[in-house]
Amino acid sequence: MAGDLILITGTTGHLGFRTLVLALEAGYKVRAALRDPSKAQKILNAPSIQRFNHLDSPLTFVTVPDLTIPGAYDDAVRDVTHIIHIASPLPSDQPVAPSDYSSVYVKPAVDGTLNLLESARQHSGPQLQRIVVTSSVVGLVDFATFYSGSAYFTPSARTPFARTPSPELPTEPGADFPVYTVAKAVALNEAEAWMHRHRGGAGDAAVSFDLVHVHPPFILGANELATSVREAISGSNSFVAQMVLGRKSPVPIPGTVVHLDDVAGAHVKALAPGVKVGQKGTRSFVVGGEAKDGVQWEDALKIVKKVFPAEVEQGVLPNDGKQPAVHAGADVKDAEEVLGIKHKGFEEMVRGVVGHVLEVAKAPGQQQELEKVKAELAQAE
């Protein structure tokens, strides 16, 4: 309920920051967990946060340096009524060595979630009602299915990955995304297994709070904390932004997308007491715009030509890239009917991503950086 204190992790990230903003707008008080306390000022300086500076301490911070350590969240969870756990490693443009796949992707995703659940069980108190965790549609199907052209994501789908014995991981370089899909599946399965044990437990082992997972596909939307061109075209926004700036990728990507506001809103709306869970204390929601058949990435070029005609004509936006798509669908009925999400369409996603790139490019030095990025992308595959 509005006025309650909630803990949110991952608030310096694309999704985490937007979820923080929407939680404050909904009237919650927020304790934001940061690995690096020096990043608090960047959050406080953001225009969306400065609107709340006149209120009575609606936002505070707590430092959690290493989420993989047991007890890492012991202090962070005290006195909160709800928790939104978003912090988890994502693949980046800098691939990791195969020998580090487990420590970089699997361990933080799995142990970070289980450590949070244990801290909540032992130290949160009886007022804790619900924990909402960011999963992914790739936690629901395996990597091969995700790219098969026939993937369909449902809230009840699961893959048989488990932490014990350790899941078999790829050994070749550049397999970061396949490893990420394993990490999300293991984290989901292990968290639900933990809940099913403790929800029916007795004495100190029992918990009264419940667990909700939100499963987004690729998230598109302006990242307010991205203040440079390179930051604005990174992450899942890259599939649209880099194509519009001239990148011609030959690699098909599933056209499964969601607007940033919709997935952030789903996390906040899932806190409501009217959102019921099953007897075992768990529930999943799949979110996604254009969910029936997904999108064709290259339709973004048509949208950009319509929405930003002057920038295309002047060559600011080359708008001549390539990005093949693979079909993927999703069942978002529960998110729409239970959470009340009215999913935004692909045009609004593209408008937000590209509009933000153009806005960031107005900052000192960023126009030159934009031209440099365009030259690099024109040569990239």
Side-chain angles (χ1 to χ4, degrees):
M1 296 176 63
D4 288 345
L5 175 63
I6 65 176
L7 171 69
I8 305 180
T9 72
T11 52
T12 58
H14 188 200
L15 173 59
F17 177 76
R18 189 59 185 159
T19 303
L20 165 64
V21 172
L22 295 186
L24 292 170
E25 287 181 351
Y28 290 103
K29 293 185 177 181
V30 177
R31 178 184 295 158
L34 301 177
R35 295 185 191 183
D36 181 357
S38 68
K39 293 185 177 181
Q41 196 58 52
K42 186 171 186 177
I43 292 176
L44 292 171
N45 289 343
S48 291
I49 297 299
Q50 290 185 340
R51 295 178 293 150
F52 301 98
N53 287 350
H54 66 286
L55 301 177
D56 181 21
S57 301
L59 174 60
T60 56
F61 298 93
V62 62
T63 302
V64 180
D66 186 351
L67 73 169
T68 67
I69 297 175
Y73 289 102
D74 285 358
D75 291 333
V77 301
R78 297 184 192 276
D79 303 319
V80 300
T81 60
H82 301 82
I83 299 171
I84 299 177
H85 179 49
I86 299 173
S88 190
L90 293 167
S92 71
D93 294 334
Q94 303 297 323
V96 303
S99 59
D100 294 331
Y101 283 157
S102 182
S103 62
V104 171
Y105 294 114
V106 181
K107 185 175 177 61
V110 179
D111 290 351
T113 302
L114 295 178
N115 287 340
L116 177 65
L117 291 170
E118 273 298 327
S119 290
R121 181 180 70 83
Q122 298 182 42
H123 299 285
S124 65
Q127 79 289 334
L128 179 63
Q129 301 168 35
R130 176 166 297 160
I131 298 177
V132 177
V133 176
T134 308
S135 182
S136 169
V137 294
V138 300
L140 303 174
V141 300
D142 59 31
F143 179 75
T145 302
F146 183 64
Y147 274 89
S148 68
S150 60
Y152 189 74
F153 314 112
T154 67
S156 60
R158 296 293 184 272
T159 55
F161 290 115
R163 183 176 62 172
T164 304
S166 297
E168 184 176 346
L169 299 177
T171 58
E172 67 273 13
D176 295 64
F177 191 77
V179 173
Y180 169 75
T181 67
V182 173
K184 299 307 284 188
V186 175
L188 170 64
N189 294 343
E190 291 293 318
E192 289 189 329
W194 186 98
M195 276 297 299
H196 298 164
R197 290 194 304 272
H198 290 280
R199 184 68 176 228
D204 292 341
V207 297
S208 58
F209 60 82
D210 49 46
L211 177 67
V212 172
H213 281 90
V214 178
H215 303 270
F218 295 121
I219 301 171
L220 300 178
N223 181 359
E224 187 178 341
L225 295 184
T227 56
S228 71
V229 168
R230 291 187 185 275
E231 290 174 332
I233 65 170
S234 66
S236 49
N237 283 342
S238 66
F239 301 134
V240 167
Q242 293 189 17
M243 175 179 59
V244 170
L245 294 179
R247 184 170 190 266
K248 296 175 174 61
S249 172
V251 181
I253 297 173
T256 177
V257 295
V258 67
H259 194 287
L260 173 63
D261 286 351
D262 292 337
V263 62
H267 283 74
V268 176
K269 291 180 178 182
L271 302 178
V275 177
K276 304 303 182 183
V277 301
Q279 290 185 345
K280 294 183 177 181
T282 58
R283 185 167 188 174
S284 280
F285 291 96
V286 177
V287 293
E290 317 284 358
K292 182 180 179 181
D293 298 308
V295 301
Q296 294 296 319
W297 291 104
E298 291 176 16
D299 284 348
L301 303 176
K302 302 174 187 176
I303 295 170
V304 167
K305 185 176 180 179
K306 180 181 77 172
V307 177
F308 304 101
E311 288 81 357
V312 173
E313 185 174 346
Q314 295 164 8
V316 176
L317 300 174
N319 208 38
D320 60 354
K322 300 289 183 183
Q323 180 54 71
V326 173
H327 174 274
D331 177 3
V332 299
K333 181 179 178 181
D334 282 358
E336 294 182 342
E337 295 184 356
V338 178
L339 301 183
I341 302 297
K342 297 181 179 179
H343 286 100
K344 296 181 171 81
F346 192 43
E347 179 169 330
E348 193 159 353
M349 300 179 209
V350 172
R351 184 191 298 268
V353 170
V354 177
H356 184 58
V357 172
L358 293 171
E359 187 63 29
V360 168
K362 296 176 183 178
Q366 288 304 305
Q367 188 61 52
Q368 293 88 337
E369 190 67 15
L370 176 61
E371 294 304 316
K372 184 177 179 180
V373 165
K374 286 157 55 177
E376 294 171 359
L377 292 175
Q379 301 301 317
E381 293 186 357

